Structure formats: structure tokens, C-alpha cells
């Protein structure tokens, strides 16, 4: 099972109404050399997650992130390097969706 599949499986406990999970590892290939990987095996290390869940009702942005990080602790211990998150309730998503754009920086902070 791929890391992306495991992440999707692990966040199901939040009863998501919508999930977008994008592997952005290719945008961060510069990390490989800094991490000592020279054989091209560095993959599934950087993800972007848009998650819409009623479980986020009444939670702050920090609490929402803590919920997700709590579910993915083992992934971070085993090679997941970064997870950019956009976490919303279904009501928030209805308002955001028409103009929603979630951009993450390239390695080195360049957009």
C-alpha cells in the first residue's frame, strides 16, 4: 500500500465529506541530497491535503491540524517529511470552494 493510500485510510476516522491529497514530492527533490538520498528513491515525502470534515466544527485551525497530525504520527516517523493542510468544515467549504486555490511553495520557498 502506498503512503497516499495509507494517509487516505487513516483520515477516514474524521468522516471526511471531501478529500484532495496530492503528492508534491517532485517539487521538493532538492531535499533528497540534503537527506543523503542519491539513488532516486525519495518519494511520497511531501503532500498537500485539502480535507473537509464535520469533525472540525468548533475547532481552531491549530486543533484541526493536531487532529490530522495525531492520525498520521507513524507516517511522519517513517518518512513523511511535510504535509501542507487546508482543513475546513462543510459550511466553510461551501463558502470557499468557488474561489478556492491552495498553492504550496516549491523547494526553497519559490512559488
Amino acid at each position: 500500500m502506498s503512503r497516499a493510500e495509507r494517509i487516505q485510510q487513516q483520515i477516514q476516522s474524521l468522516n471526511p465529506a471531501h478529500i484532495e491529497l496530492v503528492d508534491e514530492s517532485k517539487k521538493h527533490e532538492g531535499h533528497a541530497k540534503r537527506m543523503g538520498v542519491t539513488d532516486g528513491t525519495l518519494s511520497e515525502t511531501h503532500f498537500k491535503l485539502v480535507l473537509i470534515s464535520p469533525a472540525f466544527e468548533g475547532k481552531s485551525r491549530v486543533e484541526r491540524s493536531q487532529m490530522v497530525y495525531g492520525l498520521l504520527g507513524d507516517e511522519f516517523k517513517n518518512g513523511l517529511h511535510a504535509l501542507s493542510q487546508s482543513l475546513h468544515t462543510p459550511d466553510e467549504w461551501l463558502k470557499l470552494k468557488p474561489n478556492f486555490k491552495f498553492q504550496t511553495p516549491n523547494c526553497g520557498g519559490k512559488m
Side-chain angles (χ1 to χ4, degrees), residues 30-66:
H31 285 225
K33 289 181 183 174
R34 289 194 299 275
M35 294 171 72
V37 178
T38 58
D39 62 0
T41 59
L42 191 68
S43 64
E44 289 194 305
T45 57
H46 294 70
F47 284 88
K48 173 171 68 173
L49 174 66
V50 177
L51 181 60
I52 313 307
S53 172
F56 298 144
E57 293 286 347
K59 306 283 188 212
S60 70
R61 286 178 30 182
V62 170
E63 290 171 318
R64 295 172 187 191
S65 289
Q66 289 172 334

Side-chain angles (χ1 to χ4, degrees), residues 4-92:
E5 291 168 332
R6 290 192 307 270
I7 290 171
Q8 292 220 20
Q9 185 178 54
Q10 291 161 344
I11 60 178
Q12 288 303 311
S13 65
L14 297 174
N15 298 313
H18 177 77
I19 300 171
E20 291 177 33
L21 183 65
V22 178
D23 183 353
E24 295 193 321
S25 301
K26 292 274 186 208
K27 290 172 63 174
H28 301 273
E29 288 177 331
H31 285 225
K33 289 181 183 174
R34 289 194 299 275
M35 294 171 72
V37 178
T38 58
D39 62 0
T41 59
L42 191 68
S43 64
E44 289 194 305
T45 57
H46 294 70
F47 284 88
K48 173 171 68 173
L49 174 66
V50 177
L51 181 60
I52 313 307
S53 172
F56 298 144
E57 293 286 347
K59 306 283 188 212
S60 70
R61 286 178 30 182
V62 170
E63 290 171 318
R64 295 172 187 191
S65 289
Q66 289 172 334
M67 292 168 71
V68 172
Y69 281 119
L71 294 171
L72 301 179
D74 286 342
E75 295 299 331
F76 280 100
K77 290 177 188 172
N78 293 298
L80 179 58
H81 181 70
L83 180 67
S84 297
Q85 303 175 67
S86 185
L87 310 172
H88 307 283
T89 68
D91 286 340
E92 292 168 345

Side-chain angles (χ1 to χ4, degrees), residues 96-108:
L96 288 172
K97 189 176 179 182
N99 299 310
F100 184 76
K101 189 172 183 181
F102 184 31
Q103 267 190 293
T104 55
N106 289 323
C107 189

